[in-house]
Amino acid sequence: MSETVTGTSQWQALQAHAEKIRQSHLRDLFAGDPGRGQRLTGQAADLYVDYSKNLVTDETLDLLRDLARAQDLEGRIAAMFRGDHINTSEDRAVLHTALRLPRDAQLTVDGQDVVADVHATLDRMAAFAEKVRGGEWRGATGQRITTIVNIGIGGSDLGPVMAYEALGDYRDAGITARFVSNIDPTDLAVKTQDLDPASTLFVVVSKTFGTQETLTNAREARTWLLGKLGVDDSAVAKHFVAVSTNEKRVVDFGIDPANMFGFWDWVGGRYSLPSAVGLSVMITVGPDHYRDMLAGYHAMDEHFRTAPLEQNVPATLGLLNVWYNNFLGVQTHAVLPYSQYLHRFAAYLQQLTMESLGKSVTRSGEPVQAQTGEIFWGEPGTNGQHAFYQLIHQGTKMIPADFIGFSVPNHDTAEMHDLFMSNFLAQTAALAFGRTREQVEAEGVDAAVVPHKIMPGNHPTTTILGEKLTPSTLGQLVALYEHIVFTEGAIWDINPFDQWGVELGKVMANQLAPLLTQEAAPAGDQDSSTNALIARYRAQRGR
Ligand code: F6P
């Protein structure tokens, strides 16, 4: 068996060091080190990142960087950007970073001129988006398109919907988008119930074009559209376009390949927003804003690729996640954007982080000896403050949290943004420093109530501050988290680019479907729990 990360001297040094840090408090770390709040910070592209309110010292960071070097993080970063087949279980390159390379960059991988292909697709997308935005592309009855319905799931939904919502300020063509993902028939029914089919364009997004949810929704959408318009199949060409890597299946579905936008197997679903998967975003915000988003991604990519570990922000934040997960026993990580526009950001990150890092074997197939991916969750502030922050402040669990905010508002209404951001700043200070018994007693609080009002503090947070939420800063933010995930995967020596774990459920759903619908009662050869549930379901469906 090759040496596992937990067997390295760097890992053991961190374990010993963690004993010391467990005894310290952020109050003392700040009191004993006046420069901490300026020093433990970083700049990555336009994002200022303050990680001083984490439970670390300079020594912790040095030890974590030693571990990163022992795991050859820098070599692995170079291998990804170069196009090596680092997705070993699928024998693929991992090149989402190539999707945002500028036109004059050069990258040839496995004989493919990647940059030329990426820009050819971007140009086709832009030409199509402009036609729709300008009203040149019309529906079968001659009406302009005013609504896009993106049909896709997982990476073919979460990225586009997150970015569409985030860039609400940049939609400038009077075209809105809706997103249908769930195979629960309610999703499509609710999203189409007040929709005019004559002015609707469906963008069917599926890397494989074999995903049950997406194909079922797309078929139903086609039936709905043709039925409502009372037209024949030829109308499909005006109301359906596809985004996929699988042309054959797109054609089999009935979509003209001229209306298909491709991408490549080296783009993982959860990393695919900056590919043609972002078509609905491009149509609504326009190609220029879309290209600004790609430039933002690229700026963060360049930072990650070139910054030394000491200044490398995504690497540092990834190492902090490892620190909490493996050395301080933390289970979950909150992501708290102080921007209503980022209300789908945590949902997007859940797939990015948990589908990537939910692994229990190393790249060579041996059991990982360490805890891997933490559970990511969150909601925008200040809503979360009135819901779950109590548990972070005074509960018994340690929950590191990322606070994401912007200095310049998208909507400047009186002083609302200043009030909003004072909450943003107050929360991280309250979490770090809390309120001591002495402070509570000094306020004359009744003795019986004092313990309830003590705020232990010492809760770690990272503050990510951008100037303004723009397409560029959005791209930077997403790439930041992509590279945090990469760093964690490198430390644990796992493959963050496959997702075999979701396959078994898909296969079993396909096997079970006929048992729910067939006329005769099924043989009952599943497990006893599943047999009983099937029987009850069938009875309640009158079968
Ligand atoms: O949930 C598994 C998964 O394979 C995701 O990784 C992917 O984003 C999603 O399904 C959708 O896949 P596709 O784009 O091929 O429809």
Side-chain angles (χ1 to χ4, degrees), residues 28-347:
D28 305 322
L29 294 177
F30 270 85
D33 178 5
R36 184 179 168 97
Q38 284 81 46
R39 195 179 67 257
L40 299 191
T41 63
Q43 182 80 33
D46 299 324
L47 301 180
Y48 175 76
V49 178
D50 174 353
Y51 50 91
S52 66
K53 293 195 187 89
N54 280 282
L55 287 167
V56 291
T57 60
D58 293 289
E59 188 188 355
T60 321
L61 294 165
D62 286 344
L63 291 172
L64 286 166
R65 287 169 183 143
D66 289 347
L67 179 68
R69 291 200 169 92
Q71 293 300 97
D72 192 26
L73 174 61
E74 288 150 310
R76 291 181 198 227
I77 293 172
M80 171 171 71
F81 279 92
R82 204 166 48 221
D84 289 7
H85 284 212
I86 60 169
N87 176 355
T88 43
S89 70
E90 295 179 304
D91 190 19
R92 289 176 182 168
V94 173
L95 276 174
H96 45 275
T97 52
L99 298 169
R100 48 265 191 161
L101 281 172
R103 203 180 282 277
D104 59 1
Q106 289 185 355
L107 183 66
T108 301
V109 174
D110 302 333
Q112 179 190 6
D113 183 343
V114 169
V115 181
D117 286 354
V118 162
H119 282 272
T121 302
L122 277 172
D123 291 344
R124 274 191 69 225
M125 287 166 65
F128 176 72
E130 290 298 18
K131 275 194 201 163
V132 176
R133 288 160 59 80
E136 192 185 326
W137 181 283
R138 294 195 175 234
T141 60
Q143 285 203 39
R144 281 178 82 115
I145 300 299
T146 55
T147 310
I148 307 293
V149 179
N150 187 98
I151 299 181
I153 197 164
S156 299
D157 166 69
L158 289 163
V161 69
M162 179 278 291
Y164 172 78
E165 294 294 332
L167 300 180
D169 242 13
Y170 298 86
R171 291 178 219 140
D172 53 3
I175 299 175
T176 56
R178 299 176 185 197
F179 296 82
V180 174
S181 52
N182 203 331
I183 197 168
D184 179 346
T186 303
D187 201 7
L188 183 66
V190 167
K191 304 270 170 57
T192 51
Q193 66 192 359
D194 60 345
L195 206 55
D196 175 9
S199 56
T200 299
L201 176 71
F202 289 94
V203 179
V204 185
V205 185
S206 175
K207 180 176 172 183
T208 53
F209 231 75
T211 303
Q212 186 197 49
E213 290 91 335
T214 301
L215 293 191
T216 309
N217 273 317
R219 266 187 232 107
E220 285 303 313
R222 183 172 55 191
T223 306
W224 172 84
L225 182 115
L226 298 180
K228 285 266 176 192
L229 286 181
V231 290
D232 65 22
D233 268 4
S234 62
V236 169
K238 288 285 160 206
H239 292 272
F240 280 82
V241 298
V243 175
S244 186
T245 58
N246 194 324
E247 183 172 324
K248 182 177 176 314
R249 287 184 177 165
V250 169
V251 172
D252 289 349
F253 180 85
I255 295 178
D256 185 343
N259 295 340
M260 170 184 158
F261 299 87
F263 59 114
W264 306 274
D265 71 358
W266 39 259
V267 183
R270 53 196 174 273
Y271 299 89
S272 65
L273 166 63
S275 71
V277 168
L279 182 62
S280 48
V281 181
M282 189 195 263
I283 295 171
T284 52
V285 304
D288 290 346
H289 287 139
Y290 195 82
R291 288 184 197 279
D292 287 348
M293 181 179 81
L294 297 183
Y297 268 104
H298 180 63
M300 187 59 72
D301 294 341
E302 283 301 278
H303 169 86
F304 185 55
R305 189 177 69 81
T306 61
L309 283 186
E310 280 66 23
Q311 279 97 51
N312 197 313
V313 172
T316 302
L317 299 189
L319 290 169
L320 287 175
N321 289 353
V322 169
W323 168 242
Y324 289 118
N325 198 8
N326 297 123
F327 300 99
L328 297 184
V330 155
Q331 297 282 344
T332 85
H333 190 118
V335 184
L336 309 169
Y338 278 63
S339 165
Q340 192 55 34
Y341 279 132
L342 289 178
H343 73 108
R344 295 290 288 159
F345 193 63

